[in-house]
Amino acid sequence: MNYRTIQEIWRQDIGPQLRQIRLEKKQTISYVAGQLKFPVDWVDIIECGGKLSLKKYYRLIDYYGKKIYIQLID
């Protein structure tokens, strides 16, 4: 059985959505990284759903003015 944590699933779901938002806003990774004072590779790691702290994900989400909504479904 392949066990994945909720954090891994969450990162892999949110990361590509954040990349799409950046592309829709026509912003480069380096521009976003500069605005957040992040290294460029952090933004890339986040957008790929990689392993960085959730706090860094939240900062990028907040930068885009987005909110997270969690819902239980059947």
Side-chain angles (χ1 to χ4, degrees), residues 14-24 29 44 47-48:
I14 297 294
Q17 292 180 55
L18 292 169
R19 180 182 306 266
Q20 187 61 39
I21 292 167
R22 179 180 58 77
L23 293 173
E24 288 171 1
I29 288 179
D44 189 44
E47 290 182 351
C48 291

Side-chain angles (χ1 to χ4, degrees), residues 6-66:
I6 290 173
Q7 286 183 1
E8 288 173 313
I9 294 167
W10 185 86
R11 285 182 183 114
Q12 291 172 358
D13 188 42
I14 297 294
Q17 292 180 55
L18 292 169
R19 180 182 306 266
Q20 187 61 39
I21 292 167
R22 179 180 58 77
L23 293 173
E24 288 171 1
K25 292 180 175 282
K26 297 181 169 80
Q27 296 179 347
T28 64
I29 288 179
S30 58
Y31 176 80
V32 172
Q35 294 296 305
L36 294 171
K37 298 188 178 13
F38 278 1
V40 172
D41 61 330
W42 283 7
V43 177
D44 189 44
I45 290 168
I46 290 170
E47 290 182 351
C48 291
K51 191 171 185 178
L52 279 180
S53 74
L54 294 180
K55 185 175 183 178
K56 291 176 181 68
Y57 276 80
Y58 287 130
R59 284 199 45 212
L60 186 55
I61 290 165
D62 186 53
Y63 170 75
Y64 290 134
K66 301 297 181 179

